Amino acid sequence: MTQQPDSTLDPPMDPPMDPLEYALRWRRAGHHVAVATVLQTWGSAPRAAGSHLAVRDDGEFAGSVSGGCVEGAVLAEALDCMTTGSIKVLEFGVSNDEAWAVGLACGGRIEVLVEAVGSTGMTTQLLEDIAAAKAEKRALCLVSTKSTGAQRLLDPAHALDAAREDIASARQALRRDTFQSRDVPGDTIFFTPINPPVCVMIVGAVHITQALLPLLSTVGLDALVIDPRTAFASAERFAGAPVLHDWPDEAFQRRPITARSAVVTLTHDPKLDDPALSAALTSPAFYIGALGSKRTHAQRRQRLLDAGFTEADVARIAAPVGLDIGASNPAEIALSIAAQILQTLRRSPP
């Protein structure tokens, strides 16, 4: 008797809150709060531009701007900002000795904006709006002005009254999922992307998938495993992982492919891979990859062309999947796939 696919979707674990979510929680509880943001970095800076540190009035904090080497000074300045209501732009040099202590090869410099959550700049309402956007999985950009600390949210898809240059910078920040800056006369404007999480939709509950899931989690990417073969996608093999026991076309109806999706097919079975690739090629997925040799992909390519896809469509598929690092086992192939997904995400054209 043929077993029917089980369409139960195991819920993913809740991701840890980011510092701005802590800031909002503390404000709702009646605390005074300040937020520090890394504006620019030079050299071997411990934290990337756009990183946040939230500080509560009793000294509790969440996040990091330096990996620990200047955190104490930033905490002190944040507590002072809560008292004075001032906005501060701080610059710190990380010496080689300090860098070594926090695991860096050499020193660097960071510039940090510190401001209390209040009636201007970083406001409680702004934090509420950011939380709502995340809950609704809407893409927005946090726009900050260095000299004044003024902050606002910008939706480049629906911005009618924003400057054209701001819209272009916000779109680039969101597309590349990285902090951007733009110099203007006498000032600098910063663009922090607030994106829905990237979801890597993996077709095939195979050994490579088992190795790929923890790698994706480590770099902050969500994942969804799709495989109607319950013997492959069993709870024992994928404990705690989000799994859909559906055929790919059914799965993508339940979980639509978006511009924040990567689709990876790993089954080597055209009955599963081809429908998944067909759906991906008609979607806005930023990455599509397929396991298989060059010969296998040549056959796959012809099937897709015969199905009506164009050469340009099929060229979107990264195949053989993954960066060419000489991978020879499931763990190494998984590493090459994760790296290629990140490379594609970060290097998307402006």
Side-chain angles (χ1 to χ4, degrees), residues 249-308:
D249 52 348
E250 298 168 344
F252 294 142
Q253 289 179 6
R254 299 180 60 193
R255 291 286 295 270
I257 305 170
T258 72
R260 298 286 289 170
S261 301
V263 178
V264 182
T265 63
L266 301 177
T267 72
H268 268 306
D269 185 344
K271 293 193 301 295
L272 290 169
D273 287 357
D274 285 10
L277 292 171
S278 296
L281 290 174
T282 59
S283 80
F286 75 89
Y287 173 89
I288 305 170
L291 184 68
S293 66
K294 292 181 179 180
R295 179 180 177 182
T296 297
H297 185 59
Q299 296 170 343
R300 176 194 295 130
R301 172 182 167 279
Q302 190 58 53
R303 292 196 302 272
L304 292 170
L305 292 174
D306 291 343

Side-chain angles (χ1 to χ4, degrees), residues 39-42 111 143-147 163 165-166 169-170 172 179-191:
L39 295 181
Q40 298 186 78
T41 66
W42 300 267
E111 190 175 63
V143 183
S144 309
T145 302
K146 180 178 178 179
S147 63
E165 295 83 356
D166 285 352
S169 296
Q172 180 168 306
F179 189 82
Q180 302 286 322
S181 64
R182 182 167 63 84
D183 291 329
V184 297
D187 215 335
T188 306
I189 302 175
F190 302 94
F191 300 83

Side-chain angles (χ1 to χ4, degrees), residues 125-313:
Q125 185 58 55
L126 190 67
L127 293 172
E128 294 280 6
D129 293 342
I130 291 171
K134 289 182 176 181
E136 297 166 10
K137 296 187 176 181
R138 289 186 289 116
L140 293 175
C141 200
L142 177 62
V143 183
S144 309
T145 302
K146 180 178 178 179
S147 63
T148 64
Q151 304 202 52
R152 60 190 173 92
L153 290 174
L154 176 62
D155 179 354
H158 301 93
L160 300 179
D161 56 351
R164 182 175 59 184
E165 295 83 356
D166 285 352
I167 293 174
S169 296
R171 283 176 174 165
Q172 180 168 306
L174 290 168
R175 188 173 293 115
R176 294 184 175 178
D177 209 14
T178 55
F179 189 82
Q180 302 286 322
S181 64
R182 182 167 63 84
D183 291 329
V184 297
D187 215 335
T188 306
I189 302 175
F190 302 94
F191 300 83
T192 306
I194 301 169
N195 265 319
V198 167
C199 183
V200 181
M201 310 175 91
I202 307 167
V203 177
V206 297
H207 286 105
I208 296 171
T209 307
Q210 290 177 302
L212 182 57
L213 290 177
L215 289 175
L216 297 174
S217 177
T218 298
V219 297
L221 304 184
D222 290 348
L224 173 66
V225 181
I226 300 167
D227 199 321
R229 303 169 300 181
T230 53
F232 283 75
S234 65
E236 291 76 14
R237 300 183 73 232
F238 291 92
V243 176
L244 273 178
H245 296 128
D246 285 342
W247 293 92
D249 52 348
E250 298 168 344
F252 294 142
Q253 289 179 6
R254 299 180 60 193
R255 291 286 295 270
I257 305 170
T258 72
R260 298 286 289 170
S261 301
V263 178
V264 182
T265 63
L266 301 177
T267 72
H268 268 306
D269 185 344
K271 293 193 301 295
L272 290 169
D273 287 357
D274 285 10
L277 292 171
S278 296
L281 290 174
T282 59
S283 80
F286 75 89
Y287 173 89
I288 305 170
L291 184 68
S293 66
K294 292 181 179 180
R295 179 180 177 182
T296 297
H297 185 59
Q299 296 170 343
R300 176 194 295 130
R301 172 182 167 279
Q302 190 58 53
R303 292 196 302 272
L304 292 170
L305 292 174
D306 291 343
F309 290 100
T310 67
E311 292 281 2
D313 292 331

